Amino acid sequence: MSKLNMVKALNLALQQEMERDPDVLVLGEDVGVDGGVFRVTDDLQRQFGSRRVIDSPLAEAAIVGTAVGMSLYGLKPVCEIQFSGFAFQCFHQIENHAARYRQRSQGRFGCQMVVRMPYGGGVRALEHHSESEEQFYAHIPGLKMVVPSGPRAARGLLAAAIRDPDPVIFFEAKALYHAAKEEVPDAPEVLPLGKARVDREGRDLTIVAYGAMLRVAREAAETLAAEDGVETEIIDLLTISPLDRETLAASVGKTGRALVVHEAPRSFGPGAEIAASIMEGAFLSLEAPVRRVTAYDVPFPGFAREKATVPDAARVLAAARETLAY
């Protein structure tokens, strides 16, 4: 095994998938010569050439629209959108075309492609660079919505996304790119899409998180254990859509209490769907209302107010203690 950060782990996934399958290719702004804005595609153009690692114009709609056409001709494109806040320029290509070809062709054609997007706060970026907009893509039938929480999960899930026969939106938390290293197997590893992971076992409270919020959940759980004697179970969603409802219900069936943490704005966000799913799957086990700790229902601010917007361990702790005291 090698100890890799998330950038290196994603690069390894792309390299191994391109070696495995000559139909896999990468396209996006600066992905070739420069290796991507965050260097996720570093050195791939040298290894695989400019016909498989394609520097595109600054035109998100063209990137995704071209990938849709490539997919229909049998290629397996992996698009990079430099920041998820810019993806509305290609939203119509994702919603109107990529997500619909399976149904539009009555099952004859899928649209095998991945759209990678860095998302979220934590790097003190400017407007349109730090939003968490996973709710838009999780809401669209025909798409899968994946958010890894660490290097090993990122490598295994990106490999699975590339091999999936239908379009996958792949969100990468910028705050995690260089946050930590993790042991990643040298041999290719594929993790299942649509399957959550129990990151920490407990019996008193369930915290549901994903992406960069997994670190916040872990920090809060450690404090709860040390100061309150509370055993917290943490569910790392990994895939938002399809949602692993069975794992959520099983955990809350054991703990009786649940807290959802995400960076997206609260209203109509993933927390609402997760809470409803827990209500449907574990209603008779609930001993307190399901709470949400989220960003606020405002546009993401400039970096001076970033820390006040993104949930931190203090906010999670306060909500957890209210839930436990209910």
Side-chain angles (χ1 to χ4, degrees), residues 98-114:
R100 293 172 181 258
Y101 264 100
R102 179 69 65 187
Q103 185 182 52
R104 182 176 289 160
S105 66
Q106 298 181 336
R108 288 184 299 157
F109 304 109
C111 196
Q112 187 166 356
M113 58 183 284
V114 179

Side-chain angles (χ1 to χ4, degrees), residues 247-266:
T247 296
L248 294 174
S251 179
V252 178
K254 180 171 60 173
T255 65
R257 292 175 168 84
L259 182 63
V260 186
V261 186
H262 63 61
E263 287 186 70
R266 168 179 296 233

Side-chain angles (χ1 to χ4, degrees), residues 26-308:
V26 171
L27 71 160
E29 298 156 15
D30 300 322
V31 298
V33 174
D34 290 339
V37 66
F38 292 103
R39 304 297 181 262
V40 170
T41 57
D42 194 32
D43 204 40
L44 294 180
Q45 191 177 72
R46 184 191 65 77
Q47 297 177 62
F48 298 100
S50 58
R51 291 179 64 86
R52 294 185 66 194
V53 182
I54 303 166
D55 277 321
S56 75
L58 198 163
E60 286 79 8
I63 295 168
V64 177
T66 300
V68 170
M70 288 176 167
S71 174
L72 294 176
Y73 274 92
L75 298 174
K76 297 159 188 174
V78 182
C79 308
E80 178 177 295
I81 303 299
Q82 289 196 337
F83 295 89
S84 65
F86 302 154
F88 288 106
Q89 301 297 329
C90 58
F91 192 81
H92 68 297
Q93 294 286 1
I94 295 172
E95 200 279 339
N96 290 356
H97 300 297
R100 293 172 181 258
Y101 264 100
R102 179 69 65 187
Q103 185 182 52
R104 182 176 289 160
S105 66
Q106 298 181 336
R108 288 184 299 157
F109 304 109
C111 196
Q112 187 166 356
M113 58 183 284
V114 179
V115 184
R116 296 180 37 246
M117 302 186 200
Y119 85 97
V123 295
R124 298 171 63 83
L126 304 175
E127 188 184 18
H128 296 309
H129 291 69
S130 299
E131 288 83 354
S132 296
E133 293 163 332
E134 55 270 32
Q135 66 272 22
F136 291 111
Y137 306 101
H139 183 72
I140 298 173
L143 294 181
K144 295 182 178 69
M145 175 73 229
V146 178
V147 189
S149 55
R152 184 167 183 174
R155 198 279 286 268
L157 290 170
L158 182 55
I162 293 170
R163 299 182 191 194
D164 194 274
D166 291 303
V168 178
I169 306 298
F170 197 89
F171 265 30
E172 301 161 6
K174 296 190 294 293
L176 297 179
Y177 271 151
H178 298 281
K181 291 184 178 180
E182 190 176 46
E183 289 193 340
V184 177
D186 296 325
E189 183 177 48
V190 181
L191 299 178
L193 303 183
K195 183 64 179 173
R197 180 175 67 91
V198 179
D199 182 72
R200 176 188 178 117
E201 293 196 356
R203 65 184 181 192
D204 301 319
L205 169 70
T206 297
I207 297 181
V208 183
Y210 55 87
M213 289 298 98
L214 185 69
R215 294 188 305 167
V216 174
R218 286 172 174 170
E219 185 179 348
E222 289 172 4
T223 303
L224 285 169
E227 298 182 1
D228 302 68
V230 169
E231 295 185 17
T232 303
E233 182 149 297
I234 298 176
I235 303 298
D236 181 6
L237 273 186
L238 298 174
T239 304
I240 298 179
S241 178
L243 187 63
D244 185 355
R245 303 176 193 276
E246 291 76 17
T247 296
L248 294 174
S251 179
V252 178
K254 180 171 60 173
T255 65
R257 292 175 168 84
L259 182 63
V260 186
V261 186
H262 63 61
E263 287 186 70
R266 168 179 296 233
S267 297
F268 312 102
E273 179 62 28
I274 293 166
S277 177
I278 291 171
M279 288 284 289
E280 293 167 352
F283 177 72
L284 295 179
S285 300
L286 281 171
E287 299 182 33
V290 180
R291 289 180 182 271
R292 291 171 287 169
V293 181
T294 70
Y296 303 107
D297 291 335
V298 298
F300 200 90
F303 58 76
R305 296 286 180 269
E306 183 176 81
K307 286 188 177 179

